[in-house]
């Protein structure tokens, strides 16, 4: 079957068997977001390439090698499938002047695209869920975001398997000072740098700290720390965030090497990591990006937010053995005979009017084979209609799970019965 069609490598179908888990996760998110007053923003999946170059930074993994970029043949414009959500969110906020009446709390969710080597927890189309708070300068919003995430882990039963790492990237001046020291340090170790690091030494040395190359770890570990360069404002902000975490009883570790793979961050940055998913252990990452709104042409406004990798979180839920609500119907409607099928259509609608989930057996078949399907559907009840029931306007209710008598009653009575038990 050499010409069999297949999905693009690294881009997954989400099959019906997987959807209860996704839906459970999404439903949990919605309630939790509402409880913090965040509102949804939906942006297009395709944007002008320039947006991501300007927002994420030219010398980053994403922009250098991970973006799906192509020329729109109809107008010659360069387009990119969004690799993350913050750039589009800020673009939309500026474009629609959403900050005119003060700060905004927003969330988004959907597929993102990065041309990476597919492996467990790393895909070319993956899903992120994220929030952004724009127009708030103080550490209170950084703290709110961390409290929020901690609550989500509790709601999902993941509190015991994720831990928080935080750092501060300071302001522009601290980073400039640190940059000089970093370059000087790496220059004295130039022979130990890999190709990526050599290329970034002068363009974006901070990025070298983000290296995942095992051979570079010792070198990076001993590099000058940005933390040692922080000025009073940055330190005060960082102290306030730490105090907020302590007030809330949220444990954290300071990871001075945490710099994040995107250029737009300043002050607070953090990651929630798990040890239970192998190498792809970061499930949530974010921080403050006060310069981005102005950098993308908006009136200057501070901002902060985070993004979660949905596939990794779901993998973690599976790993800890989460019980997702079953998506089985309440009733499976068995119908044998022409008159029976016509009556079953009506009966199904009547049950749905009463709020029940009903699967009508389709395609005919013997009573025995239909009962097998009824059982396999996971339904609590089979409602059986043969031609003689149809003529009498009656149905037979047969419990499929647990105790209970089989009974043959009028359809209206059956609806009443299901209202009581359902
Ligand atoms: P990593 O270091 O794992 O490459 P990143 O720093 O590139 O992550 P972010 O841009 O911060 O990731 O994205 C936020 C989250 O989205 C990550 O923490 C991760 O959970 C998820 N994520 C990022 N890239 C992928 C991918 N290719 N496949 C699946 N999930 C991803
Ligand atoms: Mg990455």
């Amino acid at each position: 079957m050499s010409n069999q069609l297949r999905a693009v490598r690294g881009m997954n179908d989400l099959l019906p068997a997987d959807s209860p888990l996704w839906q459970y996760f999404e439903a949990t998110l919605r309630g939790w977001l509402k409880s913090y007053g965040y509102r949804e923003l939906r942006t297009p999946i395709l944007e002008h390439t320039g947006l991501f170059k300007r927002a994420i930074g030219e010398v980053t993994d994403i922009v250098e090698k991970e973006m799906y970029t192509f020329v729109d043949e109809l107008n010659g414009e360069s387009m990119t499938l969004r690799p993350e959500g913050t750039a589009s969110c800020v673009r939309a906020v500026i474009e629609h002047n959403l900050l005119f009446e003060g700060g905004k709390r927003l969330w988004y969710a959907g597929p993102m695209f990065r041309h990476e080597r597919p492996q467990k927890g790393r895909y070319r189309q993956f899903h992120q869920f994220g929030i952004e708070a724009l127009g708030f300068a103080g550490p209170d919003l950084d703290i709110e975001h961390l409290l929020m995430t901690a609550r989500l882990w509790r709601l999902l039963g993941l509190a015991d398997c994720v831990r928080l790492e935080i750092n501060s990237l300071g302001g522009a001046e601290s980073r400039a000072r640190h940059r000089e020291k970093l370059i000087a340090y790496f220059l004295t170790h130039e022979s130990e740098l890999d190709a990526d690091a050599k290329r970034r030494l002068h363009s974006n040395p901070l990025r070298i700290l983000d290296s995942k190359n095992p051979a570079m770890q010792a070198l990076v570990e001993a590099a000058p720390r940005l933390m040692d360069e922080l000025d009073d404002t940055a330190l005060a902000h960082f102290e306030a965030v730490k105090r907020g975490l302590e007030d809330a009883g949220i444990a954290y570790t300071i990871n001075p090497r945490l710099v994040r793979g995107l250029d737009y961050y300043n002050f607070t940055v953090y990651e929630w990591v798990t040890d239970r998913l192998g190498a792809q252990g970061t499930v949530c990452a974010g921080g403050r990006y006060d310069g981005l709104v102005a950098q993308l042409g908006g009136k200057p406004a501070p901002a902060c937010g985070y993004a979660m990798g949905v596939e990794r979180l779901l993998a973690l839920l599976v790993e800890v053995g989460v019980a997702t609500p079953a998506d089985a119907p309440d009733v499976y409607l068995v119908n044998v005979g022409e008159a029976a099928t016509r009556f079953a259509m009506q009966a199904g609608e009547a049950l749905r009017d009463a709020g029940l989930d009903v699967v009508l057996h389709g395609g005919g078949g013997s009573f025995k084979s239909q009962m097998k399907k009824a059982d396999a559907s996971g339904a609590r009840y089979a409602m059986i209609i043969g031609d003689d029931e149809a003529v009498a306007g009656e149905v037979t209710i047969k419990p499929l799970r647990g105790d209970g008598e089989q009974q043959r009653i009028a359809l209206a009575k059956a609806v009443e019965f299901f209202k009581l038990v359902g």
Side-chain angles (χ1 to χ4, degrees):
M1 290 254 273
S2 59
N3 61 354
Q4 191 184 334
L5 295 174
R6 291 193 170 277
V8 176
R9 194 164 117 83
M11 304 203 179
N12 301 316
D13 295 310
L14 211 169
L15 300 178
D18 306 323
S19 20
L21 182 60
W22 281 74
Q23 289 173 0
Y24 158 72
F25 178 70
E26 288 163 359
T28 308
L29 288 187
R30 279 172 206 282
W32 161 77
L33 284 160
K34 198 160 167 285
S35 77
Y36 284 88
Y38 283 72
R39 297 171 74 203
E40 186 178 11
L41 172 72
R42 296 191 196 198
T43 62
I45 283 169
L46 203 58
E47 298 269 3
H48 297 293
T49 306
L51 170 65
F52 301 115
K53 287 195 177 170
R54 262 169 81 180
I56 299 167
E58 297 262 5
V59 192
T60 56
D61 277 350
I62 295 180
V63 172
E64 280 183 336
K65 49 193 182 200
E66 295 174 358
M67 295 206 304
Y68 278 91
T69 294
F70 60 93
V71 174
D72 179 341
E73 288 179 9
L74 296 178
N75 59 16
E77 283 182 40
S78 181
M79 314 296 282
T80 296
L81 287 169
R82 65 180 185 194
E84 56 100 59
T86 302
S88 310
C89 177
V90 170
R91 193 234 351 107
V93 162
I94 297 170
E95 189 167 335
H96 303 284
N97 195 22
L98 292 188
L99 297 181
F100 77 100
E101 51 177 13
K104 278 272 178 299
R105 290 176 160 95
L106 304 171
W107 69 268
Y108 63 83
M112 305 294 163
F113 303 84
R114 296 187 194 178
H115 203 284
E116 304 193 74
R117 192 170 68 78
Q119 53 194 292
K120 186 169 169 277
R122 198 175 284 291
Y123 310 101
R124 291 180 172 176
Q125 174 176 314
F126 64 101
H127 294 76
Q128 276 185 350
F129 149 79
I131 62 132
E132 317 287 358
L134 300 107
F136 303 93
D140 48 347
L141 262 288
D142 303 60
I143 299 167
E144 173 171 295
H145 288 176
L146 291 164
L147 260 57
M148 269 181 101
T149 43
R151 176 178 295 274
L152 183 64
W153 311 141
R154 291 197 300 277
L155 287 171
L156 294 170
L158 297 178
D160 291 340
C161 46
V162 288
R163 60 190 160 76
L164 175 62
E165 295 190 354
I166 61 172
N167 190 21
S168 174
L169 299 183
E173 278 176 27
S174 336
R175 274 207 302 285
R177 270 200 308 278
H178 176 242
R179 183 193 154 97
E180 293 314 311
K181 293 193 178 167
L182 260 191
I183 296 177
Y185 168 79
F186 283 126
L187 273 176
T188 60
H189 297 274
E190 210 172 349
S191 60
E192 298 159 56
L193 299 180
D194 64 13
D196 263 348
K198 280 200 179 112
R199 203 161 33 79
R200 289 172 175 181
L201 183 54
H202 294 283
S203 55
N204 199 345
L206 192 63
R207 221 33 352 109
I208 301 176
L209 299 181
D210 204 28
S211 166
K212 296 194 176 72
N213 181 356
M216 296 261 306
Q217 296 310 302
L219 186 64
V220 160
E221 205 63 59
R225 296 180 166 197
L226 185 42
M227 189 60 78
D228 300 329
E229 304 296 331
L230 296 192
D231 58 24
D232 290 347
T233 321
L235 272 179
H237 191 102
F238 194 50
E239 286 306 317
V241 171
K242 290 196 289 185
R243 232 178 5 254
L245 289 170
E246 280 147 25
D247 289 346
I250 298 172
Y252 62 87
T253 51
I254 297 173
N255 175 358
R257 283 197 43 202
L258 186 64
V259 298
R260 311 278 310 110
L262 305 88
D263 270 357
Y264 49 60
Y265 289 105
N266 68 309
F267 283 20
T268 326
V269 288
Y270 52 86
E271 291 189 353
W272 285 93
V273 282
T274 178
D275 298 324
R276 300 182 59 169
L277 294 178
Q280 268 52 257
T282 304
V283 292
C284 172
R288 186 158 274 284
Y289 53 94
D290 291 332
L292 187 60
V293 177
Q295 193 182 312
L296 293 184
K299 199 164 136 248
C304 56
Y306 55 77
M308 298 189 186
V310 177
E311 281 82 356
R312 291 186 197 175
L313 276 173
L314 296 186
L316 196 52
L317 285 173
V318 170
E319 175 72 23
V320 302
V322 69
T324 48
D327 61 349
D330 301 311
V331 178
Y332 193 93
L333 237 171
V334 171
N335 54 101
V336 188
E338 214 179 291
T341 301
R342 284 179 62 193
F343 185 51
M345 289 287 170
Q346 285 177 39
E349 290 303 299
L351 292 187
R352 293 183 190 107
D353 285 345
L356 289 139
D357 300 334
V358 183
V359 171
L360 180 121
H361 180 87
S366 69
F367 172 75
K368 202 170 154 211
S369 71
Q370 292 197 29
M371 282 306 292
K372 266 196 187 157
K373 292 267 192 211
D375 215 32
S377 76
R380 283 159 63 205
Y381 294 93
M383 193 155 100
I384 302 160
I385 301 180
D387 281 344
D388 51 335
E389 273 112 339
V391 170
E394 292 177 347
V395 300
T396 297
I397 297 171
K398 182 177 164 53
L400 298 173
R401 310 269 176 274
D403 302 337
E405 293 287 301
Q406 176 167 326
Q407 47 177 325
R408 180 169 160 167
I409 47 177
L411 174 60
K413 282 257 162 56
V415 172
E416 287 311 310
F417 167 83
F418 282 120
K419 271 190 186 158
L420 280 178
V421 299

